[in-house]
Amino acid sequence: MVFQDATAFIFNNKGMSSSMSTKNATTSGWKAGDRSPKIWKGKLTFIMAAAGSAVGLGNLWKFPYIAGENGGGAFVLVYLAFILCFGIPLLAAEIGIGRSTRKNAYSAFDSLAEKTGANKHWKKVGGLAISTSYLILSFYTVVAGWCLYYFYISATGRFNDPAQSFDKSFTSGIFEALLASPISLIIFSTIFLGMTYAIVTSGVVKGIEKTINWLMPSMMLMLTVLIGYSAAVGDFDAAVEFLFMPDFSKLTLDSIIIALGHSFFTLSLASAAMITYGSYMPTDNSIPKTAFAVAGVDILVALTAGLAIFPLVFKYGLEPGAGPGLMFISLPLIFNDMPYGQLFGSAFFFMMFIAALTSAISLMEPTVAWLEQRFNWTRNKSAALTTLSLWVVSLGTVLSLNEWDSPIFFGKTLFDALDYLTANVFMTAGALATAIFCGFCLKQEQLEVMFGKGSLAIPSFKFTMRYLAPLFVATLTLASI
Ligand code: PHE
């Protein structure tokens, strides 16, 4: 089996060029129904795919609103510190776990545990990670549907109606009306999920590699234009002060936990996405460099999104802690009075939709890869079943925004509970377990396969995984209980 060939190559440390691995994958075939070679060809593809996974609604939608709800500067600082101290090493670890096994997350933990003589229950960490990505996608697709709806209404001129007096109560009215309508929510999230399915089912190279290679650069371009405009028309100084002047009196234990959870969420950690993508990464890409590059792009986009949204929030007197609707309520205000606002507004929401799509692909891939490898199903069948079941589960989120809009779980609606549970409980637990696994179970030999022989990254990586990350995360979790 090709993955075993590849793993043997890698673990014997003889090295294997990406072209060789691709060729192997093509010629020997994997298993029934799998027709695509599963190692990416382009040198930049992995970075783009991983950055595409990392950069998403977490950066553009969630980061600004949770920064707003948690008091700004101090929260942002803590979030950045978590990315640097734990996020980047964990990202490297997950990519390495994927690449050195060339397997789905469940089997990757299983095979590494077997190789290193660790307890066989470690594979459950992979299972938890796959379930996490599945659950996230069930609500992610609904929020991505909001972006698609906003794209539709801005392209059709709803934000540029001269007869309409344009203020925050008008834009919040549009947002509330959308949430109150299950039909609209279902239509737009179904379109989004269908597109994710279409790309994932086309395969790792034909579908994912080709699409991501043009989606990511176009998204970065649009974001750059938006921040320029928002800085010019909005209250940029107030935004900078809000985001970068830490006021530690506003920091609570809960906001530290949210910052930690979000640092995992935004880097797509503990959700099997990076392990699965890592399994398609050519052997000649450097893992530490890639992890830094991906985190760098991710931070840049989150801060840019904050700097695009908060100038408007302050200029129009919106509440920074307005919650999930923050960007959907604030941004249309500038699209209304900016030149070419209709074009620009639609381009912006289209960009959000692209960012969401590249993340959703990576949220669907772990389950699909697991089904393919576990049951020997074709990619089509695995992707179709994943999509159909997700569609049903996503109805829970849709209805929790209107018909079932009541607290069912620790005072939270189903949507809020799923969001909180996945990012702050499952991801934190998964990241903690991954750190312990890497720190205590992996041997020098495996670390050298990940980072290269004699790499200076190994000692600091080991220290972080063994002591720093577990101690910190465990203390925080205990404190919160
Ligand atoms: N990182 C993505 C975002 O910020 C979300 C995501 C989480 C994607 C987990 C894949 C896995 O939007």
Short mmCIF file of all heavy atoms in Angstrom, two decimals, residues 53-59 136 140 265-268 271 273 359 362-363 427, ligand 1:
data_model
loop_
_atom_site.label_atom_id
_atom_site.label_comp_id
_atom_site.label_asym_id
_atom_site.label_seq_id
_atom_site.Cartn_x
_atom_site.Cartn_y
_atom_site.Cartn_z
N SER A 53 -6.78 26.80 5.16
CA SER A 53 -7.53 26.18 6.24
C SER A 53 -7.55 27.11 7.46
O SER A 53 -8.59 27.33 8.08
CB SER A 53 -6.87 24.85 6.61
OG SER A 53 -7.35 24.40 7.84
N ALA A 54 -6.38 27.66 7.78
CA ALA A 54 -6.27 28.49 8.97
C ALA A 54 -7.06 29.79 8.82
O ALA A 54 -7.84 30.17 9.70
CB ALA A 54 -4.80 28.80 9.25
N VAL A 55 -6.87 30.45 7.69
CA VAL A 55 -7.56 31.73 7.49
C VAL A 55 -9.00 31.46 7.08
O VAL A 55 -9.25 30.82 6.06
CB VAL A 55 -6.87 32.54 6.37
CG1 VAL A 55 -7.69 33.78 6.05
CG2 VAL A 55 -5.46 32.92 6.79
N GLY A 56 -9.93 31.92 7.90
CA GLY A 56 -11.32 31.64 7.56
C GLY A 56 -12.22 32.54 8.37
O GLY A 56 -11.83 33.65 8.77
N LEU A 57 -13.40 32.04 8.65
CA LEU A 57 -14.34 32.84 9.42
C LEU A 57 -13.79 33.14 10.80
O LEU A 57 -14.14 34.14 11.42
CB LEU A 57 -15.66 32.09 9.54
CG LEU A 57 -16.36 31.85 8.19
CD1 LEU A 57 -17.60 31.00 8.38
CD2 LEU A 57 -16.71 33.18 7.54
N GLY A 58 -12.89 32.28 11.28
CA GLY A 58 -12.25 32.51 12.57
C GLY A 58 -11.51 33.84 12.59
O GLY A 58 -11.50 34.54 13.61
N ASN A 59 -10.88 34.18 11.48
CA ASN A 59 -10.13 35.44 11.42
C ASN A 59 -11.02 36.62 11.11
O ASN A 59 -10.90 37.68 11.71
CB ASN A 59 -9.07 35.39 10.31
CG ASN A 59 -8.21 34.16 10.40
OD1 ASN A 59 -8.71 33.05 10.32
ND2 ASN A 59 -6.93 34.36 10.58
N ILE A 136 -17.59 21.18 13.96
CA ILE A 136 -17.37 22.59 13.60
C ILE A 136 -18.02 22.87 12.25
O ILE A 136 -18.70 23.87 12.06
CB ILE A 136 -15.86 22.92 13.54
CG1 ILE A 136 -15.25 22.87 14.94
CG2 ILE A 136 -15.62 24.30 12.93
CD1 ILE A 136 -13.75 23.08 14.98
N TYR A 140 -20.25 25.88 10.95
CA TYR A 140 -19.44 26.75 10.08
C TYR A 140 -20.19 27.00 8.76
O TYR A 140 -20.20 28.08 8.21
CB TYR A 140 -18.13 26.02 9.79
CG TYR A 140 -16.95 26.89 9.45
CD1 TYR A 140 -16.18 27.47 10.46
CD2 TYR A 140 -16.58 27.12 8.13
CE1 TYR A 140 -15.07 28.24 10.15
CE2 TYR A 140 -15.47 27.89 7.82
CZ TYR A 140 -14.72 28.44 8.85
OH TYR A 140 -13.63 29.21 8.54
N PHE A 265 -8.35 27.19 17.37
CA PHE A 265 -9.36 27.22 16.30
C PHE A 265 -8.80 27.90 15.05
O PHE A 265 -8.91 27.40 13.93
CB PHE A 265 -10.59 27.98 16.80
CG PHE A 265 -11.73 28.02 15.81
CD1 PHE A 265 -12.66 26.98 15.76
CD2 PHE A 265 -11.89 29.08 14.93
CE1 PHE A 265 -13.72 27.01 14.86
CE2 PHE A 265 -12.95 29.12 14.03
CZ PHE A 265 -13.87 28.08 13.99
N THR A 266 -8.15 29.05 15.27
CA THR A 266 -7.71 29.82 14.11
C THR A 266 -6.59 29.11 13.36
O THR A 266 -6.45 29.26 12.15
CB THR A 266 -7.32 31.26 14.52
OG1 THR A 266 -7.15 32.03 13.35
CG2 THR A 266 -6.03 31.30 15.31
N LEU A 267 -5.78 28.31 14.05
CA LEU A 267 -4.73 27.57 13.34
C LEU A 267 -5.21 26.18 12.90
O LEU A 267 -4.43 25.36 12.45
CB LEU A 267 -3.48 27.44 14.21
CG LEU A 267 -2.70 28.73 14.47
CD1 LEU A 267 -1.50 28.46 15.37
CD2 LEU A 267 -2.20 29.35 13.16
N SER A 268 -6.49 25.95 13.03
CA SER A 268 -7.09 24.65 12.65
C SER A 268 -6.45 23.48 13.38
O SER A 268 -6.27 22.40 12.81
CB SER A 268 -6.97 24.41 11.14
OG SER A 268 -7.44 25.49 10.40
N SER A 271 -8.12 19.34 15.29
CA SER A 271 -9.35 19.07 14.55
C SER A 271 -9.04 18.17 13.36
O SER A 271 -9.85 18.07 12.45
CB SER A 271 -9.92 20.39 14.04
OG SER A 271 -8.93 20.99 13.22
N ALA A 273 -7.48 18.58 10.83
CA ALA A 273 -7.29 19.21 9.52
C ALA A 273 -5.81 19.23 9.15
O ALA A 273 -5.43 18.85 8.03
CB ALA A 273 -7.86 20.62 9.54
N SER A 359 -11.48 26.88 4.29
CA SER A 359 -11.45 26.25 5.62
C SER A 359 -12.40 25.06 5.66
O SER A 359 -12.08 24.02 6.25
CB SER A 359 -11.85 27.24 6.71
OG SER A 359 -10.96 28.31 6.74
N SER A 362 -11.03 21.90 4.43
CA SER A 362 -10.15 21.20 5.37
C SER A 362 -10.93 20.65 6.57
O SER A 362 -10.42 19.81 7.30
CB SER A 362 -9.04 22.14 5.85
OG SER A 362 -9.56 23.07 6.76
N LEU A 363 -12.14 21.16 6.77
CA LEU A 363 -12.96 20.60 7.85
C LEU A 363 -13.66 19.32 7.39
O LEU A 363 -14.01 18.47 8.20
CB LEU A 363 -14.01 21.63 8.29
CG LEU A 363 -13.50 22.77 9.18
CD1 LEU A 363 -14.49 23.92 9.22
CD2 LEU A 363 -13.24 22.28 10.60
N MET A 427 -11.13 21.18 21.50
CA MET A 427 -9.83 21.55 20.96
C MET A 427 -8.78 21.66 22.05
O MET A 427 -7.65 21.24 21.87
CB MET A 427 -9.90 22.86 20.19
CG MET A 427 -10.51 22.68 18.83
SD MET A 427 -10.38 24.17 17.88
CE MET A 427 -10.58 23.51 16.24
N1 PHE B 1 -9.14 27.92 11.15
C1 PHE B 1 -10.44 28.07 10.59
C2 PHE B 1 -10.89 29.52 10.77
O1 PHE B 1 -10.23 30.28 11.41
C3 PHE B 1 -11.43 27.14 11.18
C4 PHE B 1 -11.00 25.73 11.20
C5 PHE B 1 -10.92 25.06 12.41
C6 PHE B 1 -10.66 25.08 10.01
C7 PHE B 1 -10.49 23.75 12.45
C8 PHE B 1 -10.22 23.75 10.05
C9 PHE B 1 -10.14 23.11 11.27
O2 PHE B 1 -11.92 29.89 10.32
#
